[in-house]
Each structure stands twice: as C-alpha cells, then as structure tokens.
C-alpha cells in the first residue's frame, strides 16, 4: 500500500484529502443549515439537534471522499451542497432580495 | 487508487492515524491526567493543608478578609474548599483577571502559596495545546475529527471484529502489537467514540456554526439568551451603600436545593444593588451545570433566580458535555475515566508503534530519503510517547525544584515542560532506536518512582496528607509499569537465548 503512495499517486491522493476535508466541510455546513431550517421544532432545539449531528455527517463525508470509486466522485459532495445551502439560507436570500 | 473499500479505508486509517496519532496521544494522555487536575493542583501547592471547616465558617473568614482588604472591589469571588481541593481562595474583581489570595480556612489569614502551572496546565494543554485559545482548539478539533475517522475506518477494515475481541498473542512481535492495538481499540470502542464525539460537541458551535448562522445569523448572544433563562440585568437605578446580608442562611438554602457548593460570587458588595450567586459543584449530576446557579439579593437575602429548568434539548447537550468533563459520580467514576483514558492513549501508542514495526523489514530497500523519513517516524514515536511521559512527570519535579520566589514561576514550569519534551525529540533522533526507547522510558520510570523522595526532601515530609499520598502512590504504580516496559524491551533476546539453550540441552539429551 505504501507503493500506492508513490509520486504517480500523489495528485489523486491530494485531491481526495482536499475533497474530504474542505468539500466535506462545505457539505456538512450546508446540510446542517438545511436541517436547522427543516426540523419542525423551536429554533433553539433545531439548532442544537442539527449541530449535534453535524460531526457524524462530516465523518461520513470524509470517509466518502476516500471510499468513492474515482477521484472525481469524491468531489460529489460539493455540488450536493448547493441545494442544501439554498434551503439553509433561504430566509436570508429572501431578505436580500426584498 | 482503484481499490476495494477495505483497502482504501486501510490506507486512510494508516496514514491519517500516523499523521494525527502523535497529536492524539498527547491530547489523550494530558486529558487523562486532567481527570485529576485539582488533585494535581493540590499536590503542587504544598503550602495548603487539608482541613475540614464548614462552608459557613470559610465564607465568614473570606468575607471578613475581603471587607478588610478589598471593600471597594466591583465583585468578590470565593472558591470554597472541597473534597478535591482543600484551598479557600478569594478574588477581588473578575474571577479570571482579578487579584487572587489563598486564605487559611481555619483562621482566615492569608497564605503564601507558590505560583504554579498546576494540574490545570494538563487541562489547558488537553483542549488547546497550551496555545492561544482559538488556533489551539481548532487544531485539537481537527485531531478529534481524525480520531473519529480513524475509529470508523478501523471498524470497517476489521473483518473479524468480535473474534479479535478475545485474541491476544503475546511475545509474537508484530502480531502482538496488532493484537494489543485491536484489543484495546475494540474493548473500549464505546469509550473512544463517546469521549471523541462529546469532545467535539463542547466547541460544536465554533467548529460548525452552520445552524447558528442559518437560524440566528451567527448571533451567539441571541441564542444564549433564548436557550436558557438568564436573569435580566436590572435597570441602573441609583445605588447607595447598604450592608451585606448574612450569608450563612443563604448557604444553607442553596445547599438544600442544589447539593454541595463550589463557591460564592458577590457582585457590587456593600451597595444596594448587590447580588449573591451561589455556585454549585459541577459533579452534582451528569449534566454539566456550569452557570446554572441560584442568585440572591445581596441586601435583603431574597431569592431572585433559582437554578433554571433546562429544556430537553439543552439538557441532552449538557449531559454530553458532562460525559466528557467527568465531574459526576465521585472518585470511582474519576478512576474509571482515568484508566479508560490511559488505555485510549495506549491504543494510539500501539498503533504508532505498529506502523514502524510493520515496515521495519522494508527500510533497507527504501531510497535514502525514505530511510530518513522512517527514522524520523521512529524518533517521533519515541519522543511523543516516552518523551511526553518524561515531560509530564518532569513538570511535577520542576514544581518542587524551581525556587519558590522565582518571578513568573508558573511560566517557567511550563517552559521547563516544553524544554524537556524538545530535548527528548533531540535525544530520540541522535540515539539508536532501542536505546532511545530504553533510556527515555527508564528516565520516566526513575522520575515516577522518585517522586515520594522528592517531596520528602523538598517539603520535609512525605505524603503531606491523604490526597498527596494517593497521588504519589499512583505515580509510583505508573513508574512500576514504566519500569516493566523497560524490562520488556530487553526480553526478546533473552527468550531467544533461552530457547537456544533449551534446544541445545534437548540435543545433548
């Protein structure tokens, strides 16, 4: 396995590390915001529950980046974050537009 | 990287575990020590004696002293003596930045106590690496995420999960290291997961402020006001001097409602708008109840706000904090956390050693750069595992060896700690691998075993009181464990020769 870490593999690995750490964080951030908006609870409760779950999501997102079949699929979390961010920050967006 | 899931998870576990393993070992070891932070604090302040006085008596002495010395302070803080920390400490002004004085709880006279980093140092290192707060907690948070990822990927690559629960093959070199790593990981898996996850939750809103940004536009103060009933600050009415109410009845009332108390805060003492806050000991229940106290009017003694009722979601969050801080359940629980924490540290350490043991045979065929990198890994292993133990026990030695009147003494203790650790890195790099392990572990063992002697020579008495006795007995026991590990390092050769002798005898017969 240490052979796989040789120079020819350096770029795919860097890409996956970045996909996991940064892409995963962006995805988790968006999902947590969306969850906080969608949970049918008082906002205090929704905030706490969404935040408590966020580290599970982040862990899974990091694992996904390394388990994905291709280095490109590892980045799938980023496009997935866009609609979630829209849900999470919908009220802010409306306010901006109004 | 066309690999199976197991292979890619193994890669992640190996390299992620290696890169963050050193940091994680340091975080877990200092965290285990921080379980006994106040006990270590007490050992490091030999001027303070164990006494038994009632809270009412201690508060009376404290208030008398504060009235005499700091009548015009904006606030008085009184930390009451407890089972874990027999010191009576008063602070004039803010609790963190005010002027603190230790008092003799029996007489109320000020005590001269040495300035020390204390066991609190291990606590601070545990969550911020003793760095400036924000960068520190972000790095520790990143390491905690790495731990979580290593745990889950470790479970995935483990095919015979429950079988290995009971597998241990001692004296088999690499296989023993693997078994030790697996056994300690699997056996304590619930603890590893719990302690890592709850650790992340403590700063959850700093690490992941998404929900706060979404629902409160990032305004933490707005969330804080809403999530718990905080007493409204009264209007700034004109104030006039007014005597402080008697504290003993309020203490009794607060103790009856909340259990043991840790301290009393008096805001605006001697004025008509005085407030008295009775703070409870954190360990009265699992949920961490920091800040959830009773507030009384300082002049009339009327109860202004009780301990707030927590809504279920907040209670759930506080229980998770409490599970991490381990303030509940008294000493049995504290020992359980200490032992589990040490086993977690051992699990991380065996993983780090396993990395090098597994690859040692291949070193020779690597390029010169590769060989140097493996050597670096080997020496960092020695320095983080054995070197950190030397630095930790070294901190206790520095506490007694540095002159008491040294300016900024606590700072010098901390500098000494890091200097020892740095020296161990240098030593590990310069010495051959086995010698480096042997010498650093021996030094740690000697420092541990010698601790009672140190306190005899520096304090004129061993085991000043039962708490210091317990600490020294524990350190000596850990010293024996270290000595055993040094002895084990000599073992393989011995066994080899024994086997050869037996083999020879068999041939003769």
């Amino acid at each position: 396995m240490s052979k796989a870490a040789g120079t020819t593999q350096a770029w795919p690995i860097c890409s996956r590390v970045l996909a996991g750490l940064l892409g995963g964080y962006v995805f988790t951030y968006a999902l947590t915001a969306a969850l906080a908006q969608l949970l049918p609870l008082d906002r205090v409760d929704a905030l706490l529950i969404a935040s408590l779950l966020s580290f599970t999501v982040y862990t899974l997102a990091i694992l996904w980046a390394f388990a994905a079949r291709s280095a490109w699929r590892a980045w799938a979390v980023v496009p997935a974050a866009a609609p979630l961010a829209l849900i999470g920050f919908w009220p802010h967006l409306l306010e901006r537009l109004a | 990287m066309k690999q199976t899931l197991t292979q890619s998870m193994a890669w992640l576990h190996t390299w992620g575990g290696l890169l963050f393993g050193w940091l994680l070992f340091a975080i877990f070891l200092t965290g285990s020590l921080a379980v006994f932070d106040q006990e270590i604090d007490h050992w490091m302040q030999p001027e303070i004696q164990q006494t038994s006085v009632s809270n009412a008596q201690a508060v009376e002495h404290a208030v008398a002293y504060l009235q005499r010395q700091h009548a015009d302070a904006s606030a008085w803080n009184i930390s009451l003596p407890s089972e874990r920390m027999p010191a009576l400490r008063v602070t004039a002004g803010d609790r963190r930045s005010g002027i603190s004085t230790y008092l003799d709880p029996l007489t109320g006279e000020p005590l001269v106590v040495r300035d020390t980093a204390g066991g609190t140092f291990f606590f601070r290192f545990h969550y911020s690496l003793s760095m400036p707060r924000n960068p520190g907690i972000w790095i520790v948070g990143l390491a905690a995420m790495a731990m979580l990822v290593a745990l889950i990927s470790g479970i995935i690559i483990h095919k015979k999960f429950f079988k290995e629960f009971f597998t241990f093959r001692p004296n088999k070199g690499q296989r023993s290291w693997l078994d030790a790593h697996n056994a300690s990981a699997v056996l304590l898996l619930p603890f590893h997961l719990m302690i890592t996850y709850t650790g992340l939750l403590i700063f959850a809103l700093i690490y992941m402020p998404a929900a706060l940004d979404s629902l409160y536009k990032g305004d933490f103060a707005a969330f804080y006001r809403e999530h718990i009933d905080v007493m409204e600050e009264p209007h700034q009415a004109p104030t006039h001097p007014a005597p402080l109410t008697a504290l003993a009845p309020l203490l009794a009332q607060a103790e009856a409602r909340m259990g043991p108390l840790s301290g009393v805060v008096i805001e605006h003492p001697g004025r008509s708008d005085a407030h008295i806050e009775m703070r409870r000991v954190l360990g009265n229940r699992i949920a961490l109840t920091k800040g959830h106290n009773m507030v009384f009017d300082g002049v009339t003694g009327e109860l202004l706000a009780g301990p707030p009722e927590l809504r279920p979601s907040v209670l759930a969050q506080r229980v998770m904090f409490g599970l991490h801080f381990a303030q509940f359940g008294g000493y049995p629980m504290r020992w359980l956390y200490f032992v589990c924490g040490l086993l977690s540290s051992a699990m991380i350490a065996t993983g780090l050693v396993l990395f090098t043991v597994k690859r040692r045979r291949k070193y020779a065929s690597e390029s010169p750069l590769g060989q140097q990198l493996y050597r670096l890994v080997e020496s960092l292993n020695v320095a983080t595992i054995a070197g950190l133990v030397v630095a930790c026990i070294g901190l206790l030695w520095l506490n007694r060896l540095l002159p008491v009147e040294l300016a900024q003494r606590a700072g010098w203790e901390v500098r000494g700690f890091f200097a020892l650790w740095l020296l161990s890195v240098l030593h590990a790099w310069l010495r051959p691998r086995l010698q480096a392990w042997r010498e650093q572990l021996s030094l740690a063992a000697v420092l541990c075993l010698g601790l009672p002697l140190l306190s005899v020579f520096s304090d004129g008495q061993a085991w000043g009181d039962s708490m210091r006795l317990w600490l020294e007995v524990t350190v000596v026991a850990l010293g024996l464990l270290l000595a055993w590990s040094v002895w084990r390092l000599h073992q393989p050769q011995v066994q080899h020769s024994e086997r050869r002798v037996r083999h020879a005898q068999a041939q003769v017969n």
Side-chain angles (χ1 to χ4, degrees):
Chain A
M1 223 166 297
S2 54
K3 286 270 150 48
T7 41
T8 50
Q9 294 284 327
W11 277 113
I13 285 171
C14 279
S15 158
R16 278 176 197 261
V17 169
L18 287 177
L21 279 179
L22 299 180
Y25 188 87
V26 168
F27 174 76
T28 310
Y29 187 92
L31 184 77
T32 307
L35 196 62
Q37 287 289 342
L38 293 178
L39 283 173
L41 298 165
D42 281 356
R43 59 179 189 164
V44 171
D45 302 331
L47 180 148
L48 286 175
I49 290 169
S51 301
L52 290 187
L53 291 174
S54 63
F55 299 102
T56 310
V57 177
Y58 193 23
T59 308
L60 293 176
I62 294 175
L63 291 178
W64 165 258
F66 288 88
R69 227 172 300 137
S70 70
W72 285 111
R73 289 175 60 136
W75 283 97
V77 285
V78 173
L84 292 170
L86 200 62
I87 300 170
F89 293 95
W90 184 247
H92 303 244
L93 195 66
L94 286 183
E95 217 170 85
R96 233 356 119 69
L97 294 176
Chain B
M1 210 153 89
K2 287 224 165 50
Q3 296 172 325
T4 63
L5 177 69
T6 316
Q7 280 172 329
S8 57
M9 288 297 113
W11 186 89
L12 181 60
H13 186 86
T14 305
W15 293 96
L18 177 72
L19 277 182
F20 286 96
W22 296 307
L23 195 54
L24 282 168
F25 179 82
I27 294 169
F28 270 79
L29 186 70
T30 50
S32 311
L33 295 174
V35 168
F36 289 119
D37 56 347
Q38 295 191 9
E39 288 76 7
I40 300 174
D41 271 341
H42 178 62
W43 188 88
M44 290 171 97
Q45 294 177 325
E47 296 83 1
I48 293 170
Q49 298 300 317
Q50 229 175 0
T51 47
S52 58
V53 292
S54 70
N55 277 345
Q57 203 184 339
V59 166
E60 198 187 306
H61 285 313
V63 169
Y65 174 83
L66 287 164
Q67 251 154 6
R68 223 165 43 231
Q69 301 289 337
H70 300 283
D72 51 350
S74 63
W76 293 342
N77 282 277
I78 304 166
S79 297
L80 293 168
S82 71
E83 179 196 18
R84 297 187 57 210
M85 186 74 197
L88 171 62
R89 196 182 51 170
V90 295
T91 309
D94 185 69
R95 219 157 71 92
R96 293 241 165 84
S97 58
I99 317 155
S100 284
T101 316
Y102 287 92
L103 301 179
D104 186 334
L106 286 174
T107 62
E109 289 307 309
L111 288 173
V112 180
V113 174
R114 70 185 61 193
D115 182 27
T116 178
T120 318
F121 169 75
F122 295 123
F123 175 61
R124 240 192 3 263
F125 186 92
H126 170 66
Y127 77 83
S128 70
L129 305 177
S130 193
M131 288 166 67
R133 191 182 142 93
N134 270 334
I137 62 175
W138 272 97
I139 294 174
V140 172
L142 191 64
M145 275 311 301
M147 180 78 182
L148 213 50
V149 167
L151 285 171
I152 306 294
S153 56
I155 296 170
I156 295 172
I157 57 182
H158 228 42
K159 293 197 191 84
K160 291 167 273 176
F161 191 78
F162 285 99
K163 196 180 151 206
E164 306 209 354
F165 212 90
F166 303 104
T167 310
F168 186 60
R169 292 160 286 190
N171 301 325
K172 290 262 162 57
Q174 181 184 330
R175 222 176 275 157
S176 306
W177 284 108
L178 182 62
D179 287 347
H181 184 59
N182 290 344
S184 53
V186 173
L187 207 62
L188 282 182
L189 188 64
F191 178 79
H192 303 314
L193 284 172
M194 179 279 285
I195 210 73
T196 310
Y197 208 87
T198 53
L200 280 163
L201 291 183
I202 292 163
F203 295 119
L205 294 186
I206 295 177
Y207 296 144
M208 183 50 69
L212 191 70
D213 291 347
S214 166
L215 293 172
Y216 291 86
K217 295 187 176 160
D219 185 357
F220 181 79
F223 162 70
Y224 191 82
R225 275 195 303 276
E226 234 173 89
H227 98 299
I228 188 165
D229 293 323
V230 185
M231 208 181 60
E232 293 285 316
E233 274 298 314
H235 275 295
Q236 290 293 323
T239 59
H240 49 87
L244 197 64
T245 182
L247 287 165
L250 304 187
L251 280 168
Q253 196 182 338
E255 261 171 353
R257 176 85 179 271
M258 301 193 297
L261 302 177
S262 69
V264 182
V265 182
I266 304 171
E267 300 271 357
H268 313 309
R271 278 165 45 179
S272 56
D273 59 345
H275 282 168
I276 300 168
E277 185 188 355
M278 297 287 172
R279 303 163 63 86
R280 62 173 142 195
V281 167
L282 285 182
N284 294 5
R285 51 193 296 195
I286 296 180
L288 197 72
T289 51
K290 207 171 170 185
H292 308 169
N293 302 305
M294 286 168 87
V295 181
F296 297 88
D297 187 300
V299 179
T300 63
E302 180 195 351
L303 178 63
L304 296 177
E309 288 300 319
L310 298 177
R311 53 197 299 152
S313 63
V314 177
L315 181 62
Q317 183 208 29
R318 292 309 159 99
V319 166
M320 291 185 208
F321 290 1
L323 282 173
H324 192 93
F325 277 85
Q327 301 291 321
F328 63 97
Y331 275 115
M333 197 55 84
R334 235 163 244 290
W335 279 104
L336 186 64
Y337 268 84
F338 181 66
V339 171
C340 286
L342 288 185
L343 284 171
S344 294
S345 316
M347 185 266 285
I348 298 166
T350 51
L352 286 169
V353 171
L354 182 60
F355 179 94
T356 55
V357 171
K358 225 171 166 176
R359 284 160 185 77
R360 214 164 271 156
R361 254 177 257 135
K362 290 190 292 189
Y363 285 7
S365 58
E366 290 279 345
S367 63
L369 178 69
Q371 287 185 6
Q372 287 301 306
L373 281 179
Y374 279 121
R375 208 181 131 218
L376 182 69
V377 171
E378 296 265 25
S379 18
L380 280 176
N381 275 354
V382 178
T384 350
I385 299 168
L388 178 62
V389 177
V390 170
C392 285
I393 184 67
L395 185 73
L396 298 193
W397 277 76
L398 285 167
N399 172 264
R400 291 296 199 272
L401 293 181
L402 290 176
V404 174
E405 61 286 344
L406 187 68
Q408 288 188 324
R409 200 171 170 285
W412 281 108
E413 286 179 7
V414 171
R415 268 167 235 146
F417 170 89
F418 284 110
L420 274 172
W421 206 2
L422 213 61
L423 281 177
S424 83
V425 177
L426 206 66
H427 174 262
W429 178 254
L430 293 177
R431 298 287 289 163
R433 176 176 54 82
L434 263 181
Q435 263 88 336
W437 274 111
R438 226 173 267 162
E439 286 160 8
Q440 295 203 12
L441 286 173
S442 306
L443 178 61
V446 167
L447 289 177
C448 284
L449 294 171
L451 197 71
L453 287 177
L454 173 69
S455 58
V456 170
F457 285 116
S458 61
D459 309 348
Q461 54 174 345
W463 312 329
D465 53 40
S466 63
M467 271 172 73
R468 295 193 182 106
L469 169 71
W470 268 106
L471 188 137
E472 284 170 26
V473 167
T474 309
V475 169
V476 167
L478 292 175
L480 289 173
L481 206 64
L482 288 166
W484 175 77
S485 69
V486 175
W487 177 74
R488 288 283 313 188
L489 278 177
H490 289 275
Q491 279 316 88
Q493 284 96 340
V494 175
Q495 267 175 1
H496 240 54
S497 53
E498 259 178 20
R499 210 173 296 154
R500 219 173 295 145
V501 170
R502 233 177 283 147
H503 190 66
Q505 279 176 340
Q507 278 182 335
V508 170
N509 292 342

